[in-house]
Amino acid sequence: MDQIEERLLEEVADLHGVPEGAYNIRANGQMAGRNTTANIDIATKTDKPGIDIRIKPGTKHESVHIPVVLSASGLKEVVYNDFYIGDDADVVIVAGCGIHNCGVQDSEHDGIHRFFVGRNAKVKYVEKHYGEGEGTGKRILNPGTEVYMEENSLMEMEMVQIRGVDSTIRTNKAQLAAGAKLLVRERLLTHGDQTAESVYDVELNGDDSSADVVSRSVAKDRSRQVFKSNIIGNAKCSGHTECDAIIMDDAKIVAVPGLVADNIDAALIHEAAIGKIAGEQIIKLMTLGLTEEEAEAQIVNGFLK
Amino acid sequence: MDQIEERLLEEVADLHGVPEGAYNIRANGQMAGRNTTANIDIATKTDKPGIDIRIKPGTKHESVHIPVVLSASGLKEVVYNDFYIGDDADVVIVAGCGIHNCGVQDSEHDGIHRFFVGRNAKVKYVEKHYGEGEGTGKRILNPGTEVYMEENSLMEMEMVQIRGVDSTIRTNKAQLAAGAKLLVRERLLTHGDQTAESVYDVELNGDDSSADVVSRSVAKDRSRQVFKSNIIGNAKCSGHTECDAIIMDDAKIVAVPGLVADNIDAALIHEAAIGKIAGEQIIKLMTLGLTEEEAEAQIVNGFLK
């Protein structure tokens, strides 16, 4: 890998070189490295682009990294990655895609990730998206996740896209069996003329299942964001969804969290708030010696932490 | 008017007989009474069913009642009522429709109300819907409101539908100029196999305009409710929308409040919560000597107050 690719890898997977444990690195549409372990197998799909990741039941404290980097302009790909997580496993999965586009053609990576989470399994999933490059070609990412959670499983999803992606539609679905718990933390920053749409559809199908979907976003310049989060309560369950957004400059934000209660024992809550940074906050930081821009940046960073 | 019609009138307009001030009573598709005052004129439309209500600028502390009662089975009507409220007026408008259907045919009343609210005018609008009757014919009400608010006007809307309406789609639009303020309080109770959909689209177009749209609803039995409330901030404005719902029995509730911030100075918030009555609340009231049904009824009444 060249320097650009290494930097992208650092941005999306916090990796300085090759990770520990199982990994599959995809660079410009090709496999650039793979490692499997005794408990985690990675196999190339034979019917379409993508990989199958199989994690044995009871696997504890192991991790899988599957970063993707694109540095060639004009590359468009759709990749299907399926994760089979065995019962009682406890693992960390780090995905993410970095695009460096200095060309005139659009670059696009659409990663469709399916998770089959076994009983009592715990998964922490981190997905980071990042774009850079001075070219006029667009950097487009349309990630999708489908999460199927068996009894008493736990899934934490950290979905991050800070800067650089021109256009994204993020589609996320989850179905929860009894006792399963889903936590989603989305952080998003758009600028320039970027557009970002996030869609979450969470079905709470089993008794005592629960979901907490929280999005924090900042829209700068002329960027446009849409946040749609639906929580459907089909059992004795609890669901919470929240969208807090900071609007700046000439940006536009649409937030449409939806609740569907189809069971008397479903307890569902959502909240959303859109507003600009309070003037007092900026003034306070400016009295400490920061410029207005620095103060704004400080507040935005804190909000997205 | 017969006894049934008089009772309907009481339900929808709290009227025991003929109201004071200006009124237009519509019974079974016909005018059953009208009164105008020096400041408030009511004229039958010549191009379509309905009336034009013209309130002179500066009219203070007067009221207009325009109740509709339907006691004949199988009657279907669409009525267009336009309210022109002069600058600086301060008035109360009471609309509402009661349907008594003991027949086999569906009865339907669709009232489309437009409000042109002048500068600095204050309007309190009360709309109550009610249905009754042992017939198999349905009681259908599809009310619509369009509110155009000029600078610094105030409109309070109390939208009530407690029991008896089989099917309703309630569509409400508002556009606010600078300094205008809209307050909406919706209360809704559905039971049996009833369906109710409420749609609010509020555009905050002028600086310092504000809107507060709050819905409280109870869905019993197998009834279905949909609540959609969109607040669009196109200026330096503040908007809040809230939906609190109690779900009972096999009912289903969908809440989709939406926020659109198209201006950096728009501050928008929404909240929604759907859940059942807490068991402790019922037990507490039962220890005071109420039956479970009485305790539930007490809690529901308090919630919808």
Side-chain angles (χ1 to χ4, degrees), chain B residues 115-164:
Chain B
F115 300 87
F116 302 91
V117 186
R119 284 160 185 252
N120 303 309
K122 291 184 185 173
V123 179
K124 182 174 170 111
Y125 174 67
V126 181
E127 183 182 283
K128 284 192 185 169
H129 291 124
Y130 172 74
E132 60 169 37
E134 297 306 311
T136 55
K138 291 203 162 137
R139 299 174 297 263
I140 302 167
L141 288 169
N142 295 320
T145 63
E146 288 177 32
V147 183
Y148 302 95
M149 299 180 68
E150 290 187 32
E151 281 75 7
N152 299 314
S153 59
L154 168 68
M155 176 113 178
E156 274 183 74
M157 303 176 78
E158 199 182 318
M159 316 293 270
V160 183
Q161 179 193 304
I162 306 292
R163 297 192 167 273

Side-chain angles (χ1 to χ4, degrees), chain B residues 230-300:
Chain B
N230 283 302
I231 299 204
I232 300 121
N234 295 321
K236 175 172 174 291
C237 62
S238 63
H240 173 256
T241 175
E242 183 177 337
C243 165
D244 292 314
I246 290 179
I247 184 170
M248 298 171 79
D249 312 311
D250 297 308
K252 178 171 180 173
I253 298 177
V254 178
V256 192
L259 299 180
V260 180
D262 208 354
N263 186 294
I264 182 181
D265 289 309
L268 306 177
I269 293 173
H270 69 56
E271 302 156 78
I274 306 175
K276 66 171 177 176
I277 297 171
E280 313 90 73
Q281 278 185 287
I282 292 179
I283 289 162
K284 196 172 148 194
L285 288 173
M286 285 171 75
T287 59
L288 299 173
L290 273 62
T291 65
E292 192 175 339
E293 289 69 35
E294 287 167 345
E296 260 188 17
Q298 189 98 340
I299 292 163
V300 165

Side-chain angles (χ1 to χ4, degrees), chain B residues 6-134:
Chain B
E6 280 177 5
R7 196 181 55 249
L8 291 174
L9 207 56
E10 197 182 324
E11 285 286 350
V12 301
D14 295 317
L15 290 179
H16 305 270
V18 164
E20 292 196 25
Y23 64 85
N24 187 88
I25 301 172
R26 186 179 176 95
N28 290 322
Q30 305 292 329
M31 188 178 78
R34 176 179 295 174
N35 189 46
T36 60
T37 71
N39 294 319
I40 302 176
D41 186 47
I42 301 177
T44 303
K45 276 189 189 294
T46 52
D47 57 339
K48 52 188 173 185
I51 50 178
D52 286 329
I53 298 97
R54 288 176 192 280
I55 299 171
K56 282 191 186 161
T59 301
K60 301 280 185 196
H61 310 305
E62 290 202 35
S63 65
V64 189
H65 285 76
I66 59 155
V68 172
V69 293
L70 266 70
S71 57
S73 186
L75 195 69
K76 295 191 185 192
E77 56 177 10
V78 184
V79 175
Y80 300 86
N81 299 332
D82 290 331
F83 297 81
Y84 300 90
I85 298 125
D87 295 351
D88 303 304
D90 185 350
V91 293
V92 174
I93 298 170
V94 180
C97 180
I99 298 186
H100 177 98
N101 192 348
C102 351
V104 295
Q105 290 179 286
D106 295 351
S107 294
E108 178 173 344
H109 175 83
D110 300 345
I112 315 300
H113 290 183
R114 293 196 301 172
F115 300 87
F116 302 91
V117 186
R119 284 160 185 252
N120 303 309
K122 291 184 185 173
V123 179
K124 182 174 170 111
Y125 174 67
V126 181
E127 183 182 283
K128 284 192 185 169
H129 291 124
Y130 172 74
E132 60 169 37
E134 297 306 311

Side-chain angles (χ1 to χ4, degrees), chain A residues 215 217 242-247 253 255 257 271-275 303, chain B residues 239 259 266-271:
Chain A
S215 170
S217 72
E242 183 177 338
C243 165
D244 292 313
I246 290 180
I247 184 170
I253 298 177
E271 302 155 79
I274 305 175
F303 180 73
Chain B
L259 299 180
L268 306 177
I269 293 173
H270 69 56
E271 302 156 78

